[in-house]
Amino acid sequence: MEPYAFFKGQYMPLKDAKIGILTQALHYGTACFGGIRANWDAEKQQFCIFRMKDHYRRQLDACKILNICLPYDENDMAEFTVETVRRAGFKENVYCRPLAYKSSEAIGVKLHGLEDDFFVIATTLGPYLGTGGIKCCTSSWRRVSDSQISPRGKITGIYVNSALAKTDANRAGFDEAIMLNENGHISEGTGENIFVVIKGQLITPPSYDSILLGITRDTVMQLAKNELGIETVERSIDRSELYVADEAFFTGTATNVAAISSVDHRNIGSGEMGPLTTKLQALFNQAALGRNPKYSEWYTFLKYD
């Protein structure tokens, strides 16, 4: 068992996949990535690769923004991913990292006249934000807007913005930062979407508040509606609304559904995971293992031969 990659059209151990130090994407952030979970079901001895084609459709949209032209569609990319996971040989949760990038070895700030390429890595990833309630602060770094770099895709250059906020938060003793947009409204964490529960309403920031349209975010909204009869309200959220919220939680591929216990030294509700967060986390965990047949279109199962 070892991390594996589909790289330059071939499958190989991750340690053998190398790029040149002049690769244009390395210098200018001209790439877009994804994060896909292959969740290991020990009981059934199989992987459930969760919403894989939805992730690739979003990544291909980001490729359009960056003028990246790949000879693959989401079906090809899904096939490469399944085989990479299979070859890695893990029997635990696997994290898949696809990257589409400007692969020319050339100096120069531009998007045109360059070669493009794609790879995907299958490896393991521990708990991204731990397992307890998440202590957050509001970041002084504002989330980039669509007029600067589009937040609709996971464009690598954007994540300098997130890294600045994350490091400041961690050095100040917090687990995560919550970023505001240029208008002062809640946007998202450094790598997660955010939901709040206020007076019985499930609320999340809308697309125009500089958020990534997360796959896990969409999953939670569908589960809330279909399984609990709760419609999610998409509207702008003020910073002070976080302080008086009954519950708050993050969603994301690396995070899944994770409760926020405090923001800026103020407990959210009781400071413990709230009842709606608990229900949604349980529903999501079952769906992510492929155990809810109502959502069969989300699942790609993989068993070893």
Side-chain angles (χ1 to χ4, degrees), residues 244-261:
V244 299
D246 301 307
E247 304 177 43
F249 59 90
F250 285 129
T251 62
T253 298
T255 309
N256 295 328
V257 176
I260 299 171
S261 61

PDB file of all heavy atoms in Angstrom, residues 244-261:
ATOM      1  N   VAL A 244     -24.725  35.022  17.966  1.00  0.00           N
ATOM      2  CA  VAL A 244     -26.023  34.708  18.583  1.00  0.00           C
ATOM      3  C   VAL A 244     -26.664  33.467  17.966  1.00  0.00           C
ATOM      4  O   VAL A 244     -27.804  33.132  18.289  1.00  0.00           O
ATOM      5  CB  VAL A 244     -26.992  35.916  18.472  1.00  0.00           C
ATOM      6  CG1 VAL A 244     -26.406  37.118  19.202  1.00  0.00           C
ATOM      7  CG2 VAL A 244     -27.283  36.261  17.021  1.00  0.00           C
ATOM      8  N   ALA A 245     -25.939  32.788  17.070  1.00  0.00           N
ATOM      9  CA  ALA A 245     -26.485  31.587  16.434  1.00  0.00           C
ATOM     10  C   ALA A 245     -26.661  30.469  17.464  1.00  0.00           C
ATOM     11  O   ALA A 245     -25.910  30.373  18.443  1.00  0.00           O
ATOM     12  CB  ALA A 245     -25.569  31.120  15.313  1.00  0.00           C
ATOM     13  N   ASP A 246     -27.648  29.619  17.227  1.00  0.00           N
ATOM     14  CA  ASP A 246     -27.869  28.452  18.088  1.00  0.00           C
ATOM     15  C   ASP A 246     -26.882  27.335  17.756  1.00  0.00           C
ATOM     16  O   ASP A 246     -26.470  26.583  18.643  1.00  0.00           O
ATOM     17  CB  ASP A 246     -29.303  27.942  17.918  1.00  0.00           C
ATOM     18  CG  ASP A 246     -30.335  29.004  18.262  1.00  0.00           C
ATOM     19  OD1 ASP A 246     -30.242  29.571  19.365  1.00  0.00           O
ATOM     20  OD2 ASP A 246     -31.211  29.279  17.422  1.00  0.00           O
ATOM     21  N   GLU A 247     -26.522  27.218  16.473  1.00  0.00           N
ATOM     22  CA  GLU A 247     -25.563  26.219  16.028  1.00  0.00           C
ATOM     23  C   GLU A 247     -24.796  26.781  14.836  1.00  0.00           C
ATOM     24  O   GLU A 247     -25.279  27.686  14.140  1.00  0.00           O
ATOM     25  CB  GLU A 247     -26.254  24.919  15.572  1.00  0.00           C
ATOM     26  CG  GLU A 247     -27.156  24.266  16.591  1.00  0.00           C
ATOM     27  CD  GLU A 247     -27.844  23.025  16.038  1.00  0.00           C
ATOM     28  OE1 GLU A 247     -27.179  22.218  15.344  1.00  0.00           O
ATOM     29  OE2 GLU A 247     -29.055  22.852  16.301  1.00  0.00           O
ATOM     30  N   ALA A 248     -23.627  26.241  14.592  1.00  0.00           N
ATOM     31  CA  ALA A 248     -22.863  26.568  13.393  1.00  0.00           C
ATOM     32  C   ALA A 248     -21.979  25.375  13.054  1.00  0.00           C
ATOM     33  O   ALA A 248     -21.512  24.669  13.963  1.00  0.00           O
ATOM     34  CB  ALA A 248     -22.016  27.826  13.591  1.00  0.00           C
ATOM     35  N   PHE A 249     -21.775  25.157  11.766  1.00  0.00           N
ATOM     36  CA  PHE A 249     -20.907  24.047  11.368  1.00  0.00           C
ATOM     37  C   PHE A 249     -20.289  24.313  10.005  1.00  0.00           C
ATOM     38  O   PHE A 249     -20.797  25.123   9.214  1.00  0.00           O
ATOM     39  CB  PHE A 249     -21.664  22.708  11.369  1.00  0.00           C
ATOM     40  CG  PHE A 249     -22.872  22.632  10.454  1.00  0.00           C
ATOM     41  CD1 PHE A 249     -22.752  22.197   9.139  1.00  0.00           C
ATOM     42  CD2 PHE A 249     -24.136  22.960  10.930  1.00  0.00           C
ATOM     43  CE1 PHE A 249     -23.864  22.105   8.310  1.00  0.00           C
ATOM     44  CE2 PHE A 249     -25.260  22.866  10.115  1.00  0.00           C
ATOM     45  CZ  PHE A 249     -25.126  22.440   8.794  1.00  0.00           C
ATOM     46  N   PHE A 250     -19.163  23.663   9.787  1.00  0.00           N
ATOM     47  CA  PHE A 250     -18.476  23.708   8.503  1.00  0.00           C
ATOM     48  C   PHE A 250     -18.832  22.473   7.687  1.00  0.00           C
ATOM     49  O   PHE A 250     -19.129  21.402   8.241  1.00  0.00           O
ATOM     50  CB  PHE A 250     -16.959  23.702   8.702  1.00  0.00           C
ATOM     51  CG  PHE A 250     -16.361  24.995   9.176  1.00  0.00           C
ATOM     52  CD1 PHE A 250     -15.515  25.013  10.284  1.00  0.00           C
ATOM     53  CD2 PHE A 250     -16.593  26.192   8.508  1.00  0.00           C
ATOM     54  CE1 PHE A 250     -14.929  26.192  10.720  1.00  0.00           C
ATOM     55  CE2 PHE A 250     -16.009  27.380   8.938  1.00  0.00           C
ATOM     56  CZ  PHE A 250     -15.181  27.367  10.044  1.00  0.00           C
ATOM     57  N   THR A 251     -18.744  22.610   6.360  1.00  0.00           N
ATOM     58  CA  THR A 251     -18.841  21.458   5.462  1.00  0.00           C
ATOM     59  C   THR A 251     -17.713  21.529   4.436  1.00  0.00           C
ATOM     60  O   THR A 251     -17.300  22.616   4.025  1.00  0.00           O
ATOM     61  CB  THR A 251     -20.185  21.428   4.710  1.00  0.00           C
ATOM     62  OG1 THR A 251     -20.311  22.600   3.880  1.00  0.00           O
ATOM     63  CG2 THR A 251     -21.358  21.345   5.667  1.00  0.00           C
ATOM     64  N   GLY A 252     -17.224  20.368   4.029  1.00  0.00           N
ATOM     65  CA  GLY A 252     -16.181  20.311   3.015  1.00  0.00           C
ATOM     66  C   GLY A 252     -15.709  18.888   2.829  1.00  0.00           C
ATOM     67  O   GLY A 252     -15.939  18.028   3.694  1.00  0.00           O
ATOM     68  N   THR A 253     -15.034  18.619   1.733  1.00  0.00           N
ATOM     69  CA  THR A 253     -14.568  17.267   1.459  1.00  0.00           C
ATOM     70  C   THR A 253     -13.587  16.791   2.519  1.00  0.00           C
ATOM     71  O   THR A 253     -13.636  15.640   2.960  1.00  0.00           O
ATOM     72  CB  THR A 253     -13.909  17.208   0.067  1.00  0.00           C
ATOM     73  OG1 THR A 253     -14.889  17.540  -0.923  1.00  0.00           O
ATOM     74  CG2 THR A 253     -13.374  15.813  -0.227  1.00  0.00           C
ATOM     75  N   ALA A 254     -12.675  17.657   2.924  1.00  0.00           N
ATOM     76  CA  ALA A 254     -11.708  17.259   3.950  1.00  0.00           C
ATOM     77  C   ALA A 254     -12.331  17.250   5.336  1.00  0.00           C
ATOM     78  O   ALA A 254     -11.917  16.490   6.211  1.00  0.00           O
ATOM     79  CB  ALA A 254     -10.500  18.191   3.924  1.00  0.00           C
ATOM     80  N   THR A 255     -13.350  18.095   5.547  1.00  0.00           N
ATOM     81  CA  THR A 255     -13.940  18.304   6.864  1.00  0.00           C
ATOM     82  C   THR A 255     -15.169  17.444   7.112  1.00  0.00           C
ATOM     83  O   THR A 255     -15.504  17.131   8.247  1.00  0.00           O
ATOM     84  CB  THR A 255     -14.349  19.789   7.007  1.00  0.00           C
ATOM     85  OG1 THR A 255     -13.240  20.613   6.647  1.00  0.00           O
ATOM     86  CG2 THR A 255     -14.788  20.122   8.402  1.00  0.00           C
ATOM     87  N   ASN A 256     -15.890  17.069   6.033  1.00  0.00           N
ATOM     88  CA  ASN A 256     -17.216  16.469   6.111  1.00  0.00           C
ATOM     89  C   ASN A 256     -18.166  17.475   6.771  1.00  0.00           C
ATOM     90  O   ASN A 256     -18.276  18.598   6.310  1.00  0.00           O
ATOM     91  CB  ASN A 256     -17.175  15.123   6.837  1.00  0.00           C
ATOM     92  CG  ASN A 256     -16.365  14.087   6.068  1.00  0.00           C
ATOM     93  OD1 ASN A 256     -16.336  14.100   4.847  1.00  0.00           O
ATOM     94  ND2 ASN A 256     -15.694  13.204   6.780  1.00  0.00           N
ATOM     95  N   VAL A 257     -18.847  17.113   7.860  1.00  0.00           N
ATOM     96  CA  VAL A 257     -19.695  18.039   8.610  1.00  0.00           C
ATOM     97  C   VAL A 257     -19.091  18.159  10.003  1.00  0.00           C
ATOM     98  O   VAL A 257     -19.012  17.168  10.739  1.00  0.00           O
ATOM     99  CB  VAL A 257     -21.149  17.535   8.697  1.00  0.00           C
ATOM    100  CG1 VAL A 257     -21.987  18.476   9.568  1.00  0.00           C
ATOM    101  CG2 VAL A 257     -21.758  17.421   7.296  1.00  0.00           C
ATOM    102  N   ALA A 258     -18.640  19.365  10.368  1.00  0.00           N
ATOM    103  CA  ALA A 258     -17.906  19.545  11.622  1.00  0.00           C
ATOM    104  C   ALA A 258     -18.466  20.732  12.391  1.00  0.00           C
ATOM    105  O   ALA A 258     -18.574  21.843  11.855  1.00  0.00           O
ATOM    106  CB  ALA A 258     -16.421  19.754  11.334  1.00  0.00           C
ATOM    107  N   ALA A 259     -18.812  20.503  13.645  1.00  0.00           N
ATOM    108  CA  ALA A 259     -19.428  21.538  14.470  1.00  0.00           C
ATOM    109  C   ALA A 259     -18.433  22.624  14.854  1.00  0.00           C
ATOM    110  O   ALA A 259     -17.277  22.350  15.171  1.00  0.00           O
ATOM    111  CB  ALA A 259     -20.021  20.904  15.730  1.00  0.00           C
ATOM    112  N   ILE A 260     -18.887  23.870  14.845  1.00  0.00           N
ATOM    113  CA  ILE A 260     -18.127  25.012  15.344  1.00  0.00           C
ATOM    114  C   ILE A 260     -18.564  25.265  16.780  1.00  0.00           C
ATOM    115  O   ILE A 260     -19.755  25.457  17.056  1.00  0.00           O
ATOM    116  CB  ILE A 260     -18.381  26.259  14.479  1.00  0.00           C
ATOM    117  CG1 ILE A 260     -17.930  26.002  13.031  1.00  0.00           C
ATOM    118  CG2 ILE A 260     -17.676  27.479  15.062  1.00  0.00           C
ATOM    119  CD1 ILE A 260     -18.345  27.106  12.062  1.00  0.00           C
ATOM    120  N   SER A 261     -17.619  25.253  17.714  1.00  0.00           N
ATOM    121  CA  SER A 261     -17.970  25.423  19.130  1.00  0.00           C
ATOM    122  C   SER A 261     -17.927  26.876  19.577  1.00  0.00           C
ATOM    123  O   SER A 261     -18.683  27.284  20.469  1.00  0.00           O
ATOM    124  CB  SER A 261     -17.041  24.591  20.015  1.00  0.00           C
ATOM    125  OG  SER A 261     -15.690  25.001  19.852  1.00  0.00           O
TER     126      SER A 261
END
